[in-house]
Amino acid sequence: MGGSVASEEWPESDVDCMRAALAEAELAAGEGEIPVGAVVVLGGEIIGTGRNCSVRRSDPAGHAELVALRAAATSVGNYRIPEATLYVTLEPCVMCAGAIAQARVKRVVFGAYDPKAGALGSAVDLSDSRALNHRFDINGGLLADECAGLLQRFFEARR
């Protein structure tokens, strides 16, 4: 299903989309949120963007992936977006993996691995779970150093 791919092997379109997700993560950091950003792409176009907003909105479900998926669903007028790709700067958690399956996303591309809470192979692997009734392709590690560095700098500044 997934796995890390060397940066030079990634298509330019994937790199561009992850850079858009990183821009969202930077905005989140500027708002005092954990810097995670996401974009949903369909047919080569970004149809939804999101960044963490749990603190600002007092919303435990304010994860970048959920915000981007909601925006994308609104954009197409359907909660299912089966041909879409979700780009996110951090490996999705259990909650977000469930939402990705419910949205019937075709592919997930993430940046940094999350050994503590990542649900697509790091802490747990829901990508092959019978509990989720939809399977999606997973590619991890795109611009991983940049994505992880943003998170590291954010947490170092807060200590």
Side-chain angles (χ1 to χ4, degrees):
M1 270 217 188
S4 183
V5 178
S7 295
E8 56 274 1
E9 296 176 28
W10 290 91
E12 187 176 334
S13 58
D14 281 347
V15 174
D16 290 344
C17 292
M18 186 59 76
R19 292 216 179 280
L22 271 165
E24 289 292 321
E26 292 276 2
L27 291 171
E31 297 166 343
E33 299 281 353
I34 295 173
V36 177
V39 298
V40 178
V41 175
L42 181 64
E45 300 291 325
I46 294 175
I47 61 167
T49 63
R51 59 185 176 270
N52 276 3
C53 60
S54 294
V55 175
R56 273 190 346 265
R57 295 185 183 168
S58 299
D59 180 3
H63 290 202
E65 300 95 312
L66 298 182
V67 175
L69 288 170
R70 285 181 189 125
T74 298
S75 173
V76 299
N78 193 330
Y79 72 101
R80 292 192 172 157
I81 40 178
E83 295 302 314
T85 298
L86 170 69
Y87 295 85
V88 59
T89 58
L90 182 65
E91 180 181 358
C93 69
V94 171
M95 174 177 65
C96 292
I100 291 163
Q102 290 300 314
R104 304 297 195 263
V105 168
K106 182 177 187 174
R107 179 176 175 231
V108 175
V109 178
F110 66 85
Y113 287 85
D114 186 352
K116 291 182 180 178
L120 299 183
S122 290
V124 296
D125 189 358
L126 293 181
S127 67
D128 202 25
S129 172
R130 292 183 326 163
L132 298 181
N133 61 349
H134 172 71
R135 302 287 177 267
F136 45 89
D137 294 331
I138 303 163
N139 299 108
L142 176 55
L143 302 179
D145 291 343
E146 287 181 52
C147 295
L150 180 58
L151 287 159
Q152 288 167 343
R153 287 188 302 277
F154 175 81
F155 286 114
E156 285 170 3
R158 296 180 78 83
R159 289 185 189 129

